[in-house]
């Protein structure tokens, strides 16, 4: 099922109240030359949501602090982390330390857009950010869905529909299934990665409940 959420506040809309629950946004940013593309999404994050940003070095972290601080309405924490595993390591390793103290969280990241893959990179990045952080009303509608449905665990971006991404229609693993199975084997996990079964999220952008 696909749900479409409003991008703007309705007139007379009741302000959202998260009560004693806590929410966070975790972003992994690699490319310093495209930071301006993220500003409108940062401004959309409500001030009661804490924003954490991981990046590839302490030098990059300082650049991000200077660029993002004027855009973020609430608390901002920027961390330089070991550059491995791209956005997945940032989520699974640093995110584990950060997100355990929150009830809900969003994860999103930037994408490379250059050379022959320039248009796809832009498309993929926009798909991730627009479907997670497109506006304050959009974010609060997502949080309201979690509050309304205690069995709802994750809300992910839709599978892209585009001539350059037809492979996702039948296999949204792309070329990662075989490598995922190798990692599962190394960890002695009995579950199998199967191309005919959808991966958990497309592009690793989503909102989720922590417990």
């Amino acid at each position: 099922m696909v749900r479409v959420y409003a991008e703007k506040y309705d007139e007379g809309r009741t302000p959202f109240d998260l009560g004693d629950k806590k929410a966070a946004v975790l972003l992994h940013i690699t490319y310093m030359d495209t930071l301006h593309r993220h500003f409108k999404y940062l401004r959309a994050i409500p001030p009661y949501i804490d924003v954490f940003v991981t990046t590839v070095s302490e030098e990059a972290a300082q650049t991000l602090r200077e660029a993002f601080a004027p855009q973020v309405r609430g608390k901002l924490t920027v961390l330089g982390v070991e550059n491995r595993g791209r956005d997945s390591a940032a989520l699974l390793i640093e995110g584990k330390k950060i997100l355990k103290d929150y009830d809900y969280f969003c994860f999103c990241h930037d994408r490379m857009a250059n050379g022959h893959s320039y248009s796809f990179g832009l498309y993929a990045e926009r798909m991730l950010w627009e479907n997670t952080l497109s506006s304050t009303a959009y974010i609060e509608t997502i949080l309201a869905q979690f509050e309304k449905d205690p069995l709802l665990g994750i809300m992910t971006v839709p599978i892209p529909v585009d001539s350059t991404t037809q492979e996702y229609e039948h296999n949204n693993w792309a070329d990662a299934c075989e490598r995922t199975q190798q990692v599962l084997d190394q960890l002695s996990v009995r579950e199998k990665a199967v191309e005919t079964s959808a991966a958990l999220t497309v592009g690793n952008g989503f909102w989720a409940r922590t417990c």
Side-chain angles (χ1 to χ4, degrees), residues 3-9 25 27 37-46 73 106 108 125-142 157 207:
R3 295 178 181 174
V4 178
Y5 296 126
E7 293 186 356
K8 298 181 180 179
Y9 282 110
V25 169
L27 306 171
R37 295 207 298 252
H38 314 313
F39 288 173
K40 76 167 188 174
Y41 303 107
L42 294 170
R43 291 193 294 267
I45 300 172
R73 293 187 282 164
C106 170
C108 197
E125 182 180 87
R126 186 173 185 275
M127 179 190 72
L128 292 176
W129 291 73
E130 283 292 319
N131 284 282
T132 52
L133 299 169
S134 64
S135 71
T136 301
Y138 186 92
I139 292 168
E140 293 192 336
T141 300
I142 289 174
V157 303
W207 277 90

Side-chain angles (χ1 to χ4, degrees), residues 29 32 53-66 77-83:
I29 303 297
M32 299 297 109
V53 183
T54 57
T55 190
V56 296
S57 68
E58 184 52 44
E59 181 181 0
Q62 185 56 36
T63 299
L64 286 168
R65 291 185 191 103
E66 295 173 1
T77 304
V78 183
L79 304 168
V81 301
E82 185 178 354
N83 187 20

Side-chain angles (χ1 to χ4, degrees), residues 13-148:
R13 182 178 182 273
T14 302
F16 180 76
D17 182 9
L18 197 56
D20 59 356
K21 302 287 184 63
K22 296 175 62 179
V25 169
L26 174 60
L27 306 171
H28 184 68
I29 303 297
T30 302
Y31 307 106
M32 299 297 109
D33 56 342
T34 58
L35 299 184
H36 63 282
R37 295 207 298 252
H38 314 313
F39 288 173
K40 76 167 188 174
Y41 303 107
L42 294 170
R43 291 193 294 267
I45 300 172
Y48 56 81
I49 295 180
D50 294 339
V51 179
F52 296 89
V53 183
T54 57
T55 190
V56 296
S57 68
E58 184 52 44
E59 181 181 0
Q62 185 56 36
T63 299
L64 286 168
R65 291 185 191 103
E66 295 173 1
F68 283 2
Q71 313 300 328
V72 174
R73 293 187 282 164
K75 179 181 176 182
L76 171 67
T77 304
V78 183
L79 304 168
V81 301
E82 185 178 354
N83 187 20
R84 61 174 181 174
R86 298 191 292 183
D87 54 282
S88 294
L91 171 62
L92 298 175
I93 297 174
E94 295 303 320
K96 179 182 179 181
K97 306 171 189 175
I98 295 169
L99 300 172
K100 60 182 176 62
D101 296 325
Y102 293 86
D103 300 283
Y104 310 115
F105 75 94
C106 170
F107 181 69
C108 197
H109 59 91
D110 59 0
R111 289 288 303 258
M112 179 182 290
N114 59 23
H116 71 280
S117 63
Y118 182 80
S119 61
F120 173 74
L122 286 176
Y123 174 83
E125 182 180 87
R126 186 173 185 275
M127 179 190 72
L128 292 176
W129 291 73
E130 283 292 319
N131 284 282
T132 52
L133 299 169
S134 64
S135 71
T136 301
Y138 186 92
I139 292 168
E140 293 192 336
T141 300
I142 289 174
L143 290 172
Q145 290 297 313
F146 280 112
E147 289 285 271
K148 180 179 178 181

